[in-house]
Amino acid sequence: MENYGKIVAMIQRRLPGAEIYMMAYYPVNEVDKLPDAEWAKGMFATRTNENIRMANEAVEKLAGETGCHYIDVNDGLTDGNGRLKKEYTIEGIHMYANGYRVVLENLRKYL
């Protein structure tokens, strides 16, 4: 968050009239992931929905403290357990186009 704050401060200094929108991190699905492979080990070591929730709270707080807008575009992306829906994810982290379609629909009110 310290680096995030520095970036926001730099933008505000250089572009004082700019409106800054800070977007929430997307949820993950650590259950419906690719089979264990050497390259995939550790993918979910820190990328958990609990950590993402805490990060999103910190981003929202930073947005409020710096006069920026916070956008949570995650509405409709999660299943009943709060995980990224299986049909939206390639391997639990990255999304297919149908997931980004949901994000786009959630962003439309800000465009």
Side-chain angles (χ1 to χ4, degrees):
M1 285 300 107
E2 183 179 333
N3 284 337
Y4 210 155
K6 287 178 184 178
I7 292 167
V8 168
M10 185 184 309
I11 293 169
Q12 289 175 326
R13 273 194 313 275
R14 292 184 181 179
L15 302 166
E19 285 194 49
I20 301 171
Y21 292 80
M22 301 166 76
M23 199 167 83
Y25 295 102
Y26 304 134
V28 296
N29 185 327
E30 67 278 13
V31 175
D32 299 310
K33 59 182 180 179
L34 287 176
D36 291 330
E38 191 62 36
W39 62 268
K41 289 181 182 174
M43 274 178 44
F44 296 97
T46 57
R47 290 180 184 164
T48 66
N49 285 316
E50 178 59 21
N51 285 345
I52 290 169
R53 182 192 61 73
M54 289 188 296
N56 285 340
E57 287 175 0
V59 170
E60 185 173 19
K61 180 180 177 199
L62 179 62
E65 291 171 351
T66 58
C68 299
H69 304 277
Y70 176 74
I71 302 173
D72 185 350
V73 296
N74 295 333
D75 187 40
L77 288 178
T78 56
D79 63 18
N81 295 312
R83 295 184 194 105
L84 180 59
K85 289 181 181 177
K86 183 178 180 177
E87 64 265 27
Y88 292 156
T89 184
I90 298 167
E91 81 296 60
I93 294 174
H94 299 95
M95 288 189 288
Y96 292 116
N98 60 348
Y100 287 110
R101 169 75 56 198
V102 173
V103 171
L104 175 61
E105 292 306 317
N106 290 334
L107 274 174
R108 284 194 189 276
K109 62 185 171 186
Y110 300 99
L111 302 176

